[in-house]
Amino acid sequence: MKVDVSQYFAMKLACETDCADVYQAMLTGQQDFVLFDVRSNEAFAKSHAQGAVNMPSADISELTMTKYDKVTPIVVYCWGPGCNGATKAAYKLAKMGYQVKEMIGGIHYWEDFERYPVNRRVSQAQS
């Protein structure tokens, strides 16, 4: 049986993006998506990607999503590769009819590896 590997990778690209692509879209003014940080309010307050909206996964519902158009793509992220919170949020949003992609690497890659801009609570020690 011959497997069409290109279909696998096409599907993967349809469902995922990465920090570099998200940041490049922001820099060039080609951001056609809303960036959701799906971690807790506390984690978001400590540090989050500039331009991200805090939408904890547990809070995603038909009611909380009424202000977002189903035509506008949503990119979700969580902690990083060891966390499936973004995957769960993406699944939830997709079932509700939203166009969604998961930003692989999460805040860990965004902040610690790429050193892209973050909003950080600076009035308190980071824990």
Side-chain angles (χ1 to χ4, degrees), residues 37 39-49 52-54 77 119:
D37 182 320
R39 299 173 303 145
S40 69
N41 294 322
E42 296 78 19
F44 182 83
K46 283 184 181 181
S47 176
H48 59 272
V53 174
N54 188 212
Y77 73 86
N119 290 338

Side-chain angles (χ1 to χ4, degrees), residues 58-76:
D59 293 349
I60 295 172
S61 69
E62 292 288 346
L63 181 61
T64 60
M65 292 301 298
T66 56
K67 64 181 171 181
Y68 298 99
D69 189 329
K70 290 187 178 182
V71 176
T72 302
I74 298 173
V75 173
V76 297

Side-chain angles (χ1 to χ4, degrees), residues 1-94:
M1 170 172 67
K2 184 174 177 164
V3 176
D4 185 352
V5 177
S6 67
Q7 284 184 332
Y8 166 78
F9 287 109
M11 185 58 68
K12 189 171 180 175
L13 288 170
C15 298
E16 294 179 347
T17 189
D18 66 9
C19 300
D21 290 342
V22 169
Y23 188 59
Q24 187 64 30
M26 292 173 158
L27 283 179
T28 60
Q30 296 180 16
Q31 181 177 348
D32 64 346
F33 56 86
V34 178
L35 182 61
F36 276 6
D37 182 320
V38 299
R39 299 173 303 145
S40 69
N41 294 322
E42 296 78 19
F44 182 83
K46 283 184 181 181
S47 176
H48 59 272
Q50 283 186 353
V53 174
N54 188 212
M55 179 62 74
S57 188
D59 293 349
I60 295 172
S61 69
E62 292 288 346
L63 181 61
T64 60
M65 292 301 298
T66 56
K67 64 181 171 181
Y68 298 99
D69 189 329
K70 290 187 178 182
V71 176
T72 302
I74 298 173
V75 173
V76 297
Y77 73 86
C78 197
W79 287 104
C83 172
N84 68 357
T87 305
K88 290 176 183 176
Y91 175 68
K92 198 173 189 181
L93 288 164

